[in-house]
């Protein structure tokens, strides 16, 4: 039953109530009440859509503004040569182009490039073309900015990826070697499935040849390449159902092709998996460069190479922590910064916090992207927004 009318149609026992409802006085009162309720609902929705960015805490000199709103389920971002910001999504199934036409650091035009895609979280821009990762396919939109606002027909680049949706959404990026790097998450909380599950591979988009770069990777949804060495660094989400504090999410560093990072046999440096621990296979484990905290859901990351932030920020790793979903008290929901001394972590501190207020979150950071002016964009798939973090000495 959808409303009072359906209720009256389905139960004759309420005939007296029916006569009352048919009276003009009752109808007027009902309409008045519904109007009040409707107005209250509208006001509540408006208030819910007001993003409380004043709650975000940043280091001195930094500020945050909304770059774009109403970007449903905003995930990985990519910047075109002409300044178009492309944004993927996960459950929304959409692909967006955001344009700041008047150069005021706020997107004022949104184009939905595609709908109903299969968790199109991962996107990257390379040689004038936009690459989009569904769970099982990679697509290319050639010379896309030359076509906008029209959308060119996408070309299928690769369709040999597994079609499992569990941890199947992607984060993709071209490496210094010209290959497209693609994580393939484990199709489970914890399991021992055959490759390419639980790995990061690279794809030659011309020959279609793939190489497994890293194994034993449960679910990486963020990585970048060291600006000096070109080596791959990536975040990895730890398994669930081992309690509030085990295992940690990880920041990992690949130093040789085919390196193993422990999953599912061992987590972090030496946390034995209660179901899959194997002493011999655990010897393959490469310990993380940094434990990031259990259940923080570390996703997108980037080495900061901009010029706007103070000089000491150059080369730091910024990591978006999406936030816990099954911990007894919530953690994450923030941007963290990692300082390296060579290849060793020397410091790990919060950079932007405030999306979590007590046990209530109003946003969930997903990815970070440095803009040409040195400011940083942050996507938020819960608040359907993209933020801009900037620095000024004044």
């Amino acid at each position: 039953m959808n409303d009072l009318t359906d209720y009256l149609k389905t139960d004759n026992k309420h005939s007296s109530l029916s006569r009352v409802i048919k009276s003009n006085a009752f109808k007027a009162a009902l309409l008045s009440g519904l109007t009040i309720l409707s107005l209250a609902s509208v006001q509540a929705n408006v208030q819910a859509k007001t993003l409380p960015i004043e709650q975000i805490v940043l280091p001195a000199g930094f500020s945050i503004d909304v770059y774009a709103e109403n970007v449903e389920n905003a995930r990985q971002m990519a910047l075109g040569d002409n300044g178009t910001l492309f944004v993927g999504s996960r459950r929304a199934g959409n692909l967006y182009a955001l344009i700041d036409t008047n150069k005021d650091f706020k997107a004022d035009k949104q184009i939905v490039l595609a709908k109903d895609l299969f968790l199109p979280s991962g996107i990257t821009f390379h040689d004038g073309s936009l690459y989009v990762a569904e769970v099982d396919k990679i697509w290319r939109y050639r010379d896309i900015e030359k076509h906008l606002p029209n959308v060119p027909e996408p070309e299928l680049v690769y369709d040999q990826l597994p079609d499992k949706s569990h941890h199947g959404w992607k984060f993709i990026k071209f490496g210094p070697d010209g290959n497209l790097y693609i994580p393939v998450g484990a199709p489970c909380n914890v399991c021992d499935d055959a490759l390419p599950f639980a790995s990061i591979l690279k794809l030659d988009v011309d020959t279609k040849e793939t190489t497994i770069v890293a194994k034993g990777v449960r679910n990486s949804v963020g990585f970048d390449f060291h600006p000096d060495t070109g080596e791959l660094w990536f975040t990895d989400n730890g398994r669930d159902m081992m309690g509030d504090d085990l295992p940690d999410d990880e920041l990992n560093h690949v130093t040789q092709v085919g390196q193993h990072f422990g999953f599912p046999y061992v987590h972090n440096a030496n946390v034995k998996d209660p179901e899959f621990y194997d002493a011999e296979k655990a010897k393959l484990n490469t310990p993380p460069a940094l434990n990031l905290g259990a259940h923080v859901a570390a996703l997108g990351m980037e080495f900061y190479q901009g010029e706007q932030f103070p000089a000491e920020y150059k080369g730091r790793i910024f990591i978006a922590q999406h936030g816990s979903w099954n911990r007894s008290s919530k953690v994450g929901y923030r941007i963290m910064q990692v300082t390296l001394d060579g290849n060793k972590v020397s410091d790990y501190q919060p950079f932007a916090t405030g999306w979590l207020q007590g046990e209530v979150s109003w946003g969930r950071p997903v990815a970070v992207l440095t803009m040409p002016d040195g400011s940083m964009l942050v996507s938020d798939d819960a608040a359907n927004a993209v933020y801009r973090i900037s620095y000024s000495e004044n």
Side-chain angles (χ1 to χ4, degrees), residues 220-378:
S220 178
V221 198
F223 59 83
D224 199 8
F225 301 90
H226 193 286
D228 297 325
T229 67
E231 291 178 333
L232 176 67
W233 291 68
F234 66 91
T235 60
D236 191 14
N237 289 181
R239 65 158 289 179
D240 295 310
M241 311 309 174
M242 284 183 64
D244 276 356
D245 302 314
L246 288 175
D248 280 65
D249 285 5
E250 299 175 352
L251 174 65
N252 288 304
H253 172 206
V254 179
T255 56
Q256 59 184 14
V257 173
Q259 210 163 346
H260 204 289
F261 292 87
F263 180 85
Y265 318 112
V266 63
H267 313 283
N268 308 147
N270 54 11
V271 176
K272 298 177 181 179
D273 190 87
E275 300 170 65
F276 288 91
Y277 177 71
D278 182 307
E280 286 302 311
K281 292 180 179 179
K283 292 177 182 178
L284 301 171
N285 181 38
T286 302
L290 177 65
N291 288 341
L292 300 174
H295 305 290
V296 296
L299 301 186
M301 59 158 281
E302 188 175 79
F303 285 92
Y304 181 75
Q305 290 297 292
E307 300 294 338
Q308 185 184 110
F309 292 6
E312 61 267 25
Y313 285 86
K314 193 80 173 276
R316 287 184 184 174
I317 300 172
F318 287 86
I319 300 174
Q321 294 186 346
H322 199 224
S324 57
W325 65 273
N326 66 339
R327 196 174 185 276
S328 61
S329 58
K330 292 183 178 180
V331 290
Y333 304 89
R334 59 190 178 179
I335 306 295
M336 298 295 290
Q337 55 181 322
V338 178
T339 304
L340 298 181
D341 182 2
N343 284 326
K344 301 293 184 182
V345 174
S346 60
D347 193 39
Y348 176 52
Q349 296 289 336
F351 175 70
T353 61
W355 287 279
L356 179 64
Q357 298 288 317
E359 288 298 307
V360 177
S361 64
W362 59 267
R364 304 187 78 183
V366 175
V368 294
L369 177 68
T370 304
M371 296 291 276
D373 70 340
S375 63
M376 178 182 291
L377 299 185
V378 178

